[in-house]
Amino acid sequence: MSLSLIAFLVLVAAFAVGSFTKINAGLLATVAAFGVGTLLAGMSIKDVIGQFPAGLFFILVGATLLFAIVRINGTIDLLAYWAERLAGDRKILVPILMFLLTAALASAGAFTPAAIAIVAPVGLALGARFGISTLAMGLVIVQGANAGAFSPVNPFGVLGNKMLDGAGASGDSFKLYAYCFIFNAILAAIAYALVQAIMKRRAAKAESRQADGGNALKNDDGADTPSSGSVSGPGGAGTAVLTAPAQTIVATGTKTGPVKVAATPMRILTLVGIASLLVLTTVLGLDVGVASLVIAAVLIVLDSNVQKPAVESMPWSAIILVTGIVTYVGMLEKMGALKELQEGIAGLGNSSLAALIASYVVAIVSAFASTTGTLGVISPVVVPIAMDPLLTPVGVVTAIAISSSVVDVSPMSTSGALLMASAQPKDERMFFRALLLWAIAMIGAVPLLVWFVFVQLGLG
């Protein structure tokens, strides 16, 4: 067994332990990098430390610190309040606004699980008030997070842009973001329409069964008694709407108005800071980590009370995961293991086929493991494929990006688990089955679709 194969198996073991236990895979990968690097590859400890991604670390710390401040000072609540007011009584606007709100948070730098954790409870409750399936709303929210996940200031986007930089296409950063946004917006619309149609059909069948079972019982004077499927509102007979499972009923007659959230000066300044971050990074080309830390520092100076809770609520576990995996991958590259893997892929003789295989690999792995970790591992393999003159770098990276993130709805992933946690207890089993089936469908169809559109057709 070669040293490179042993090194890869150690990384696989770290992923496996991290996926099925509470131990952080990034922490294991960091320790393993020193063990494998020094004992097997003959590297010095200084060489292994040199593989730590300092630039990526500052980006993750800056972006997550800023987002923690946005959450703690109530700016998120303000955005949700504006979204609910804007929707009013227009049901169709509810999923659109929740999609855009989650996408905006992810675009501003929030980890997708963090954006989902904040929007899901609000979105599912708001959807229930409008008679929208909780499953449909949940899928829309996850796709919203994925739509904004590849912005230049999001950790996913940082890893995607790293691949573009390696392929010599750093100027295509906005294209990557735009393609991922558009694809996920279309997928969200399809998911919403499909699930709502299925739930309506279920509701119709349930009503038919109730009618056939003698639900319309007659009183002695010939009057019908109300069926158990109807709900009366304050003004008399209300309209009952079936949502997720067929037995879940929501009375629209009990709908209440949104709770007002004040637009304080601090919250307005925070929104200005988020807008400034996007301008500084996408227009002026300032480093994401530096820009995020500067804006976060300004907000802390203006309100020092947010500093302690913001630092404590940062996703340090996710930061350790990403930097640990990238450190190990750097060690693999230093010892020449990645070069062997790249040569094996090159041996296929077809970069387009290699891109398809890589898309399926990241889709399958990401359904059970961290998407950020998966992107960190696959990055050095994708770069040579993207550099093929017959392919477009942004097309290859977009295919990998979408394939790796679209399966985040899996109940074994953090995003899927957050949806289940936000659902009603009685809906958990239905959510688990539905999310698992959706994830399997995404694994089967999406990698092939995005490969055909972005790689084979060369869109980009």
Side-chain angles (χ1 to χ4, degrees):
M1 185 179 292
S2 68
L3 292 181
S4 296
L5 180 57
I6 294 174
F8 277 114
L9 290 177
V10 170
L11 180 59
V12 171
F15 261 107
V17 173
S19 299
F20 297 104
T21 70
K22 295 182 180 180
I23 302 174
N24 191 299
L27 179 60
L28 294 177
T30 301
V31 175
F34 287 99
V36 175
T38 57
L39 299 178
L40 296 183
M43 297 169 60
S44 66
I45 291 180
K46 185 177 180 180
D47 287 338
V48 177
I49 292 176
Q51 306 311 310
F52 181 80
L56 177 61
F57 174 78
F58 279 109
I59 290 173
L60 296 175
V61 169
T64 55
L65 175 60
L66 177 59
F67 178 73
I69 295 172
V70 171
R71 179 181 57 81
I72 289 168
N73 66 17
T75 305
I76 297 297
D77 299 325
L78 178 62
L79 291 173
Y81 168 67
W82 284 349
E84 190 170 358
R85 283 199 62 185
L86 184 61
D89 292 324
R90 291 163 292 189
K91 176 179 176 179
I92 191 60
L93 283 182
V94 175
I96 295 174
L97 292 173
M98 290 301 102
F99 174 90
L100 293 176
L101 176 57
T102 319
L105 295 177
S107 297
F111 269 104
T112 53
I116 292 169
I118 289 173
V119 177
V122 177
L124 296 186
L126 185 60
R129 287 175 51 198
F130 283 84
I132 298 173
S133 163
T134 51
L135 177 60
M137 183 62 76
L139 291 176
V140 166
I141 290 171
V142 171
Q143 297 312 138
N146 287 338
F150 287 90
S151 82
V153 299
N154 188 282
F156 283 13
V158 171
L159 293 172
N161 289 331
K162 183 179 178 182
M163 288 186 267
L164 287 177
D165 291 342
S170 56
D172 289 336
S173 174
F174 181 76
K175 282 186 178 181
L176 172 64
Y177 173 49
Y179 291 156
C180 291
F181 193 103
I182 293 170
F183 182 88
N184 281 284
I186 295 172
L187 185 58
I190 294 173
Y192 179 82
L194 180 62
V195 174
Q196 282 291 92
I198 292 173
M199 294 309 171
K200 285 181 179 179
R201 187 178 303 173
R202 278 179 140 196
K205 289 182 178 179
E207 290 177 359
S208 176
R209 283 196 300 269
Q210 287 177 349
D212 293 342
N215 201 29
L217 298 176
K218 298 290 185 178
N219 291 327
D220 290 339
D221 58 358
D224 289 341
T225 58
S227 69
S228 60
S230 63
V231 180
S232 295
T239 304
V241 182
L242 282 154
T243 56
Q247 68 270 24
T248 304
I249 300 174
V250 177
T252 59
T254 60
K255 183 173 173 292
T256 59
V259 179
K260 184 176 181 180
V261 178
T264 63
M266 191 63 196
R267 290 168 182 165
I268 297 300
L269 286 173
T270 302
L271 292 174
V272 172
I274 293 173
S276 300
L277 175 65
L278 296 176
V279 172
L280 289 173
T281 55
T282 59
V283 179
L284 301 181
L286 188 64
D287 181 80
V288 175
V290 174
S292 300
L293 286 171
V294 168
I295 296 171
V298 170
L299 294 175
I300 289 174
V301 169
L302 293 174
D303 183 9
S304 59
N305 292 326
V306 303
Q307 176 179 290
K308 188 174 185 295
V311 172
E312 290 177 348
S313 64
M314 288 171 62
W316 291 107
S317 179
I319 293 173
I320 292 173
L321 171 66
V322 175
T323 54
I325 293 294
V326 174
T327 299
Y328 192 92
V329 171
M331 185 276 300
L332 289 176
E333 188 170 15
K334 185 77 173 178
M335 69 179 287
L338 288 181
K339 186 176 181 180
E340 291 184 22
L341 179 61
Q342 291 164 3
E343 290 174 351
I345 293 176
L348 294 173
N350 189 325
S351 295
S352 179
L353 177 60
L356 176 61
I357 294 173
S359 296
Y360 270 106
V361 168
V362 295
I364 295 171
V365 173
S366 293
F368 300 94
S370 164
T371 301
T372 47
T374 303
L375 287 172
V377 170
I378 204 68
S379 177
V381 178
V382 171
V383 170
I385 299 174
M387 292 177 68
D388 190 317
L390 298 178
L391 306 178
T392 59
V394 69
V396 173
V397 175
T398 300
I400 297 296
I402 293 175
S403 298
S404 64
S405 60
V406 77
V407 296
D408 282 353
V409 73
S410 163
M412 275 76 76
S413 71
T414 305
S415 298
L418 286 169
L419 279 186
M420 292 183 61
S422 300
Q424 294 294 324
K426 63 180 179 295
D427 296 341
E428 285 183 359
R429 293 189 65 184
M430 182 278 297
F431 251 62
F432 181 87
R433 291 194 301 268
L435 294 179
L436 183 60
L437 289 174
W438 184 264
I440 292 173
M442 295 300 98
I443 291 173
V446 170
L448 180 62
L449 175 62
V450 294
W451 168 81
F452 179 76
V453 173
F454 294 104
V455 179
Q456 197 69 5
L457 296 183
L459 182 62

